Every structure is written in C-alpha cells, then in structure tokens.
Amino acid sequence: MTSRSNNSRRGASKSKTTGKSAGVSLPNWAWLLAGLVIGVFAAFLAGLTPSAKDVRTVAEQVKSSSGDDKKTDHQPVFDFYTLLPESEVTVSIAEPAAVATKTQSSKPDQKPAATTTSKPKKYLLQAGSFRSAKDAERLRAQLLLEGLAPRVEKVSVGGGETWHRVQLGPFADRVSLQSAQKVLASQNIDSLLLQLK
C-alpha cells in the first residue's frame, strides 16, 4: 500500500509541475523593470507632444508675423550691398618687411630713411560678429581657453543695428598673427584679417 500511495503522490506532483511549466513565470523584479521601462518610455513620448500653451504661443507668433507682412510691402531689405563695400579692406599676402627690402634693392637711389619713417602695419583678426552679446561672449570665452586674448567690440551699423565683434590683436608681426590664425583654424573658426589704418 505504501508503494501505491507513493506512486499516486508522484503522479499528482508530476501533473502539478507540468501545469506550471506551461505558463510563463517571471520573477517579480522582471515585472518591476518592465513596468519602469514602459513608464519612462511613456513619459518620453508625453514630453515630445507640445502643450496647449506652446501651441497657442506659436499660433500668436504666426498671427503677429502675418499682420506685420500685410503692413509692409513684400520687398526684402538687403543692407549688406551697401555695408560690404564700405567696410572692405585690402590686405596684401606678402610680409611687410619683405616688401620693404625688395623696394630698397630695386631702387638704390632711394633714401633708406623713407622706409624707416613709415609705420609698421598692424592687423586685427576678427573671429566672429554677432547680433547677440551672449554669443559674442561665448566665443570670447572659448578663445580665452585656447590661450588667446580676444575682445568684444560693440559696433553700430546702418539701420541702427548693433553688432558685437570678437577681435584679436592688434598684431604687429607676422609670427604672432599666423599662430593666432592656426589656433582659430584648429577650432574651425573662419577669421577675417583686417588692417588698422
């Protein structure tokens, strides 16, 4: 009788075990982790949708800009056609000292005092020009970290606009000018070479 009862128990326990293996059983921490991931994803999606306040603000801006367009004629205004020729500076690529020695050797009758009385040319490097003072200060701080000494110059141009120019210099010698240009080029900053009058 004991062997029958053991067999019946074994059979009963086997049927219970097979029932459990048929269903998916995950530990509690897995369910918690899955719920957390789904919650974070839902919060991310909710953050992507604009709120009603944002939609109203954009709609008001569109209405105000369309109202301004009706008041003005639809002709665009381009001031750079007049501003660029006025601020154009021609800079020679040759080194100023080399040009002076070439002129002395080609004309021996010329007095050497004429070349010594002329002032050495000074140059500025303009790293950027911004309407926003914050942008100009950001570039200035970046250049300070690179070991340069930039300054921000506030300039008013035609039409009453104010621009903030980030400039380096003045440079009297070519070596310091070229080293500053190399630093700007390493930072992917295009510079504009300006000659001081």
Side-chain angles (χ1 to χ4, degrees):
M1 207 171 208
T2 55
S3 64
R4 274 185 167 180
S5 65
N6 284 340
N7 286 338
S8 64
R9 284 185 184 171
R10 286 184 191 162
S13 64
K14 285 183 183 178
S15 65
K16 287 182 183 177
T17 330
T18 57
K20 281 188 176 179
S21 64
V24 177
S25 171
L26 291 176
N28 290 338
W29 64 268
W31 285 108
L32 180 67
L33 182 64
L36 183 64
V37 169
I38 291 171
V40 167
F41 184 70
F44 172 72
L45 289 178
L48 290 178
T49 59
S51 66
K53 182 180 179 182
D54 294 337
V55 172
R56 275 188 250 124
T57 306
V58 171
E60 290 170 1
Q61 289 175 352
V62 168
K63 285 181 184 177
S64 66
S65 66
S66 64
D68 293 342
D69 290 341
K70 291 176 185 175
K71 294 176 184 175
T72 62
D73 51 328
H74 295 282
Q75 298 296 326
V77 177
F78 297 107
D79 289 335
F80 63 88
Y81 289 118
T82 56
L83 293 177
L84 287 178
E86 293 172 0
S87 63
E88 184 175 337
V89 176
T90 306
V91 178
S92 64
I93 306 280
E95 189 169 329
V99 173
T101 57
K102 286 180 185 177
T103 57
Q104 286 178 351
S105 63
S106 64
K107 298 179 183 178
D109 298 338
Q110 186 180 9
K111 296 179 182 178
T115 58
T116 57
T117 57
S118 65
K119 289 183 180 179
K121 295 181 181 178
K122 292 186 179 183
Y123 298 94
L124 285 176
L125 274 177
Q126 183 168 313
S129 183
F130 304 95
R131 287 186 179 178
S132 168
K134 286 182 181 180
D135 293 337
E137 286 298 323
R138 188 175 300 125
L139 179 60
R140 179 180 172 272
Q142 179 183 354
L143 294 176
L144 281 172
L145 291 175
E146 293 299 320
L148 299 174
R151 70 176 194 279
V152 176
E153 184 177 322
K154 190 174 177 181
V155 179
S156 295
V157 293
E161 290 185 88
T162 301
W163 286 82
H164 305 275
R165 296 180 179 167
V166 180
Q167 296 178 340
L168 300 166
F171 299 101
D173 60 340
R174 250 331 152 171
V175 175
S176 60
L177 175 66
Q178 289 174 346
S179 67
Q181 284 176 324
K182 286 180 185 178
V183 170
L184 291 174
S186 70
Q187 295 295 315
N188 294 328
I189 299 172
D190 292 330
S191 61
L192 178 65
L193 183 64
L194 303 172
Q195 181 178 349
L196 291 176
K197 294 179 182 178

